[in-house]
Amino acid sequence: MKRLRKWFIPALVILYLTGCSGTSQVTTPQPETNQGTQQAAESAGETERKTVYPLTITDATGNEITFEKAPERIVSTSPAETEILFALGLGENVVGVSDYDDYPAEALAKPKVGGVTSPNEEAILEQSPDLVIGGISMERPVAQKLQSLGLPVYITHPSSLDEIMQNILTVGIITDRQQQAEDVVAQMKADIKRVSDALQDIQADDQKKVYIEFAPGWTVGKGEYMDELIALAKGINIAGDTEGWNQISEEKVLLEDPDVILYADGVTDMTTGKSLDEIILNRSGWDKITAIQQSQVFGLDQNILSRPGPRITQGLIEVAKAVYPDRVK
């Protein structure tokens, strides 16, 4: 399998992950904040935690941003980050989104600032934002150009559920929505516990082999949150011996003979127009795979599966239901 790290994912694959959204394999640093914010975050005497400004944050690229106050005009160039902002109750503060942002429904009415890899700089500037937030989909030169224009650009690259939840908490600190962020993360942790409790007695020898295809010809190995979803759902990722996003080897999938095949529902090949399930079911020799013979091929909501935001643990529940339908209701 050919593997690719974050900054080298082809644009076509990024579109699948960002029309869905996009993350990959650069470790997200724990955000560095100023002492005042930390003291505020740790204060047990307040019913609702408040951020102390000025606030300095270091994003996943190592870029340091200082906020003098809570951002009031926010542009999001990533569907996942848009979902985070709305989940924190910041919908009215969102003044621009990417062309792919479709959740929640209110995001559809927001001004569009272009694509996810190279958003329109002029469209962003027209909104006079005091925060531009994006994920792996934003190309580095674009981020650097926006930074050179004096815009505070915060880039995220979460590769695990812990990093996704930490990212939500960090956005909560930046925007002075700490309590809302903690409430969102608490629900996500409850989702994880629900799956863990339901599957806790499954032994290693009884775990099912799982193959996941999120875009035509592409799967995922260790070091990414999709692989973690499979592991938390007590599945064995047949691509788990690789790292990052990988072009599949059809022969390897045949050899591994997965018990369950998962795919991103609604995805179509941009060249042939064929749906992803049609592609999977009609590959040469794949009719011999156990998952196909036993009708254990399941499409999962592409956005929930691919967006590293508040709904990713709903994706975990859906993965667990597909792998062990008798245990996770």
Side-chain angles (χ1 to χ4, degrees):
M1 292 187 182
K2 180 180 179 181
R3 75 183 184 191
L4 293 169
R5 294 180 179 270
K6 276 191 170 178
W7 295 109
F8 301 96
I9 302 176
L12 185 64
V13 176
I14 287 179
L15 286 177
Y16 284 114
L17 284 170
T18 55
C20 313
S21 178
T23 66
S24 279
Q25 196 180 341
V26 173
T27 302
T28 303
Q30 294 298 313
E32 298 177 8
T33 63
N34 62 18
Q35 186 177 5
T37 301
Q38 291 297 330
Q39 290 172 343
E42 295 167 4
S43 173
E46 297 183 19
T47 56
E48 184 173 331
R49 297 179 181 179
K50 304 294 291 182
T51 300
V52 174
Y53 300 94
L55 167 73
T56 299
I57 293 284
T58 302
D59 74 3
T61 69
N63 181 49
E64 193 173 86
I65 315 110
T66 297
F67 298 91
E68 299 298 330
K69 62 178 182 177
E72 297 176 351
R73 297 181 60 81
I74 305 172
V75 168
S76 171
T77 66
S78 165
E81 276 60 51
T82 296
E83 290 197 20
I84 292 172
L85 294 168
F86 274 90
L88 301 187
L90 291 162
E92 292 185 0
N93 299 92
V94 176
V95 296
V97 298
S98 84
D99 293 343
Y100 294 92
D101 289 33
D102 58 7
Y103 188 90
E106 293 85 347
L108 291 167
K110 296 293 183 179
K112 300 296 187 281
V113 296
V116 293
T117 56
S118 298
N120 187 304
E121 297 166 11
E122 291 184 1
I124 292 174
L125 287 169
E126 284 177 3
Q127 298 304 323
S128 300
D130 46 13
L131 171 61
V132 179
I133 185 169
I136 180 57
S137 51
M138 182 183 286
E139 295 176 346
R140 272 188 170 175
V142 176
Q144 291 168 348
K145 175 66 178 298
L146 292 172
Q147 290 162 359
S148 71
L149 296 173
L151 294 176
V153 181
Y154 179 75
I155 303 297
T156 72
H157 295 156
S159 296
S160 68
L161 266 64
D162 279 346
E163 290 181 0
I164 292 169
M165 291 187 286
Q166 181 58 57
N167 183 44
I168 292 170
L169 293 173
T170 302
V171 174
I173 293 173
I174 292 171
T175 59
D176 197 19
R177 295 295 177 101
Q178 293 190 49
Q179 188 60 56
Q180 291 88 337
E182 290 175 5
D183 291 344
V184 170
V185 169
Q187 180 57 57
M188 295 173 72
K189 289 182 177 179
D191 292 340
I192 295 171
K193 186 176 187 301
R194 171 185 169 188
V195 170
S196 177
D197 288 349
L199 304 178
Q200 61 182 334
D201 61 342
I202 294 179
Q203 302 301 311
D205 292 343
D206 298 322
Q207 290 181 247
K208 296 181 181 180
K209 292 189 292 183
V210 178
Y211 168 68
I212 189 168
E213 189 164 338
F214 64 88
W218 288 84
T219 190
V220 64
K222 62 185 177 181
E224 300 296 342
Y225 65 87
M226 280 192 198
D227 174 67
E228 187 179 4
L229 295 183
I230 295 173
L232 289 172
K234 288 296 183 74
I236 300 172
N237 182 4
I238 66 166
D241 58 342
T242 66
E243 293 185 11
W245 312 107
N246 298 279
Q247 285 185 298
I248 67 168
S249 162
E250 295 184 15
E251 293 75 17
K252 175 180 171 61
V253 178
L254 268 169
L255 181 64
E256 294 290 345
D257 190 25
D259 302 298
V260 178
I261 293 176
L262 306 177
Y263 67 91
D265 193 21
V267 168
T268 58
D269 186 283
M270 294 180 182
T271 302
T272 66
K274 293 182 179 180
S275 64
L276 188 49
D277 58 327
E278 182 182 359
I279 293 170
I280 291 170
L281 293 174
N282 288 286
R283 285 191 177 119
S284 177
W286 279 36
D287 57 322
K288 299 181 178 64
I289 293 175
T290 297
I292 293 178
Q293 289 186 340
Q294 298 183 359
S295 299
Q296 296 299 295
V297 181
F298 303 103
L300 304 180
D301 185 294
Q302 59 172 316
N303 292 339
I304 292 177
L305 183 66
S306 300
R307 292 179 178 175
R311 295 192 294 163
I312 191 62
T313 51
Q314 295 179 35
L316 168 62
I317 292 171
E318 294 307 308
V319 169
K321 285 181 177 180
V323 180
Y324 300 103
D326 57 327
R327 291 177 176 267
V328 183
K329 305 298 184 182

